[in-house]
Amino acid sequence: MRISLIGSGNVATHIAAALKNAGHRIVQVYSPNLQNAAMLAYHVGATAVDALKDIDAETDIFIIAVKDDAITSIVPQLSTFGKLVVHTSGAVSLDALSAETANAGVFYPLQTFSKTKELNFWQVPMCIEGATETITKQLEELARTISNNVYRVSSAQRKVLHLSAVFACNFTNHLYGVAEQLLKESNMPFDMLRPLIAETADKIKAHSPTTVQTGPAVRKDERTMQAHLQMLEGKEALQEIYLLLSQDIIKNSNAGNGDN
Amino acid sequence: MRISLIGSGNVATHIAAALKNAGHRIVQVYSPNLQNAAMLAYHVGATAVDALKDIDAETDIFIIAVKDDAITSIVPQLSTFGKLVVHTSGAVSLDALSAETANAGVFYPLQTFSKTKELNFWQVPMCIEGATETITKQLEELARTISNNVYRVSSAQRKVLHLSAVFACNFTNHLYGVAEQLLKESNMPFDMLRPLIAETADKIKAHSPTTVQTGPAVRKDERTMQAHLQMLEGKEALQEIYLLLSQDIIKNSNAGNGDN
């Protein structure tokens, strides 16, 4: 397929590279910053443009990978070409596109991307939605050329997926940071925790998280929890977080989940 | 060295196996449940006992790996042998042993163990504390026969380490569980999030967590956060957790940490 990328950030970069590797032709890369567009375009053998008026109609599909807020301002101009227009956002519904064109879909890679960190795209879950069954099938087919994990996901489901990812990944990363800070204050390197963090994430590859929950809360070890809250004196936010998460773990284990 | 294990749970099992593999002799395994003691003893070529009075003095070191609450009740009997006695707990101070014997230390593996899940013990951080410098050195030497990550950690530091692990691992695992539950309610499999969780944990192997924080909070994307809170209506605990963690991420990024 002939594909054009609208955007040149992390998502655009990884999707363009995966599609190029799968044998598709990347026609154009658009970014308001020409240098950024050119950098990605160079890597995937495309031409770079920095004005929407220069976008070439000679493409089968426009993949929009820009900040959520910028999507709606771009769609009207793209829809004039009558080609398939998809976005790559977890948080934006299909309606944002289909209000402008019937030729609309979603091509959402559920992963956290950094430009400098390579990853195996075959494992990235691709979440597909199309304005019609034909479009859905077409996008599924395209997704299967770059990923082994292709799912049909409605706009309502995608919102839940995005919310779940905030809990499982954004919040999780913040808790890593809290731990790093606590260690630092006691002159210990974060390296000490890295193997435990890796193992915690590794465990749930084959288990449901609730069945492998460990720690003082699930053991209802009140003495340790009280000691921890005392150690957090003066850090009200962390005390509250500790208390809330512990209470939620206890509530959850009382409900019959978890086996520790 | 000749080593006896007091306990036959996850920690005792992994430590005994690592020490045995390193060429040490495991003399006895004690557990009030003889069957459990016998199972581990069989694997490491030791004898099993289920009464403290049957414990053999012909050992160089007793490694206590029992529940925290049970440690103090066992120490008086072990201390009568005049041999080195160490515990393996993150939450119990050295004093719990040294009140009974000057021959005391801590041999704490900072990892989460399951009997059924193998792991590379060489990467397990071993946290060492001795009642004397001689004991500390002796335990460091022993630890280096099974791990490449040996640290001297005081009782006060070990408590902080344990608290940090609750944030980075126990709470993190609970958030995985929250995500799983949210997905389930919208008919999506947890498998969809597993690659993202793996990548999130993988990222911090080479980065400080605060520098790779992503998500709506660090972007101060109020609209998405409001939408997420609305989706959590009726789940007060999750709303509170969402709000507290988001506020803490924002506070942290305002303080100049994080670059996203």
Side-chain angles (χ1 to χ4, degrees):
Chain A
M1 284 185 84
R2 291 167 305 172
I3 298 165
S4 287
L5 267 298
I6 309 302
S8 60
N10 293 338
V11 173
T13 299
H14 282 272
I15 286 187
L19 289 168
K20 169 79 178 169
N21 287 340
H24 302 287
R25 180 160 164 236
I26 312 298
V27 181
Q28 281 188 322
V29 175
Y30 159 83
S31 165
N33 179 322
L34 187 61
Q35 205 177 346
N36 290 348
M39 182 114 66
L40 175 53
Y42 173 78
H43 280 293
V44 295
T47 59
V49 291
D50 63 352
L52 287 171
K53 66 170 178 50
D54 295 330
I55 284 178
D56 192 339
E58 291 305 304
T59 191
D60 299 309
I61 172 171
F62 292 105
I63 299 181
I64 304 175
V66 299
K67 282 193 196 303
D68 289 357
D69 291 344
I71 293 176
T72 44
S73 65
I74 287 171
V75 181
Q77 284 182 264
L78 292 180
S79 63
T80 59
F81 297 116
K83 301 295 171 64
L84 181 54
V85 180
V86 304
H87 75 63
T88 54
S89 165
V92 175
S93 87
L94 176 61
D95 298 343
L97 303 185
S98 47
E100 294 287 336
T101 171
N103 236 334
V106 180
F107 196 72
Y108 169 50
L110 179 54
Q111 187 50 283
T112 171
F113 297 105
S114 316
K115 275 189 189 172
T116 53
K117 188 169 186 302
E118 296 241 355
L119 58 76
N120 181 353
F121 210 99
W122 286 106
Q123 291 173 2
V124 175
M126 289 300 304
C127 305
I128 300 302
E129 185 180 12
T132 65
E133 175 65 19
T134 309
I135 292 173
T136 303
K137 281 191 172 147
Q138 189 182 354
L139 289 174
E140 276 181 319
E141 207 174 303
L142 180 63
R144 285 203 194 97
T145 66
I146 57 174
S147 168
N148 289 323
N149 297 315
V150 178
Y151 298 91
R152 287 191 179 204
V153 174
S154 70
S155 286
Q157 283 178 314
R158 204 169 55 251
K159 277 180 188 158
V160 174
L161 199 53
H162 189 240
L163 173 61
S164 307
V166 170
F167 276 94
C169 301
N170 300 151
F171 288 167
T172 281
N173 184 74
H174 180 61
L175 294 179
Y176 298 160
V178 167
E180 181 181 39
Q181 184 59 32
L182 290 172
L183 291 181
K184 196 175 171 187
E185 290 168 10
S186 289
N187 299 312
M188 289 182 284
F190 186 53
D191 266 349
M192 296 183 75
L193 267 187
R194 283 189 161 111
L196 181 56
I197 287 172
E199 179 71 12
T200 302
D202 202 56
K203 258 190 189 175
I204 59 93
K205 284 183 183 166
H207 296 279
S208 166
T210 46
T211 65
V212 294
Q213 183 66 47
T214 56
V218 76
R219 288 197 309 268
K220 299 186 180 68
D221 179 349
E222 286 289 343
R223 211 170 58 172
T224 300
M225 287 189 277
Q226 283 308 322
H228 283 168
L229 287 169
Q230 266 176 27
M231 291 168 72
L232 292 171
E233 221 152 68
K235 302 179 201 291
E236 285 76 20
L238 294 188
Q239 279 184 323
E240 277 191 82
I241 290 169
Y242 188 99
L243 209 54
L244 263 179
L245 285 170
S246 296
Q247 285 166 348
D248 206 49
I249 290 172
I250 292 168
K251 195 181 71 186
N252 207 47
S253 73
N254 285 342
N257 298 316
D259 68 353
N260 191 334
Chain B
M1 285 185 84
R2 291 167 307 172
I3 296 164
S4 287
L5 267 298
I6 310 301
S8 59
N10 293 339
V11 174
T13 298
H14 281 271
I15 286 188
L19 289 167
K20 169 80 177 169
N21 287 341
H24 303 287
R25 181 163 162 234
I26 311 298
V27 182
Q28 282 189 322
V29 174
Y30 160 82
S31 165
N33 178 322
L34 188 60
Q35 206 177 345
N36 290 349
M39 183 112 67
L40 175 53
Y42 172 78
H43 280 292
V44 295
T47 59
V49 291
D50 63 352
L52 286 172
K53 68 171 175 49
D54 295 331
I55 284 177
D56 192 338
E58 292 305 305
T59 190
D60 298 308
I61 173 171
F62 292 104
I63 297 180
I64 303 175
V66 300
K67 281 192 197 302
D68 288 356
D69 292 343
I71 293 176
T72 44
S73 66
I74 287 170
V75 180
Q77 284 181 266
L78 292 180
S79 64
T80 60
F81 298 117
K83 302 296 171 63
L84 181 54
V85 179
V86 303
H87 75 62
T88 53
S89 167
V92 175
S93 87
L94 176 63
D95 298 344
L97 304 184
S98 48
E100 295 286 337
T101 172
N103 236 333
V106 179
F107 197 72
Y108 169 51
L110 178 55
Q111 188 48 284
T112 172
F113 297 105
S114 316
K115 275 189 189 170
T116 52
K117 186 168 187 306
E118 297 240 356
L119 58 76
N120 182 353
F121 210 98
W122 286 106
Q123 292 174 359
V124 176
M126 289 298 305
C127 305
I128 300 301
E129 186 180 12
T132 66
E133 177 63 19
T134 310
I135 293 172
T136 303
K137 282 191 172 146
Q138 190 182 353
L139 289 175
E140 277 182 318
E141 207 173 303
L142 180 64
R144 286 203 194 97
T145 66
I146 58 175
S147 168
N148 288 324
N149 297 316
V150 179
Y151 297 91
R152 286 190 180 204
V153 174
S154 70
S155 286
Q157 283 178 314
R158 204 168 55 252
K159 278 180 188 157
V160 174
L161 199 52
H162 189 240
L163 173 61
S164 306
V166 169
F167 277 94
C169 300
N170 302 150
F171 288 167
T172 281
N173 184 75
H174 180 61
L175 294 179
Y176 298 160
V178 168
E180 181 181 38
Q181 184 59 32
L182 290 172
L183 290 182
K184 196 174 169 189
E185 290 168 9
S186 290
N187 299 312
M188 288 181 284
F190 185 54
D191 266 349
M192 295 183 74
L193 267 187
R194 284 190 161 112
L196 181 56
I197 287 173
E199 179 69 11
T200 302
D202 202 55
K203 258 189 188 175
I204 59 93
K205 285 183 181 165
H207 296 280
S208 165
T210 46
T211 66
V212 293
Q213 183 66 48
T214 56
V218 77
R219 289 196 309 268
K220 299 187 180 65
D221 178 349
E222 286 290 341
R223 211 171 60 174
T224 300
M225 288 189 277
Q226 284 307 323
H228 284 168
L229 287 169
Q230 266 176 28
M231 290 168 72
L232 292 170
E233 222 152 69
K235 303 180 201 293
E236 284 77 17
L238 295 187
Q239 278 183 324
E240 278 192 82
I241 290 169
Y242 188 99
L243 209 53
L244 263 178
L245 286 170
S246 295
Q247 284 166 347
D248 206 49
I249 290 171
I250 291 168
K251 195 181 70 186
N252 207 46
S253 72
N254 285 343
N257 299 315
D259 68 352
N260 191 335

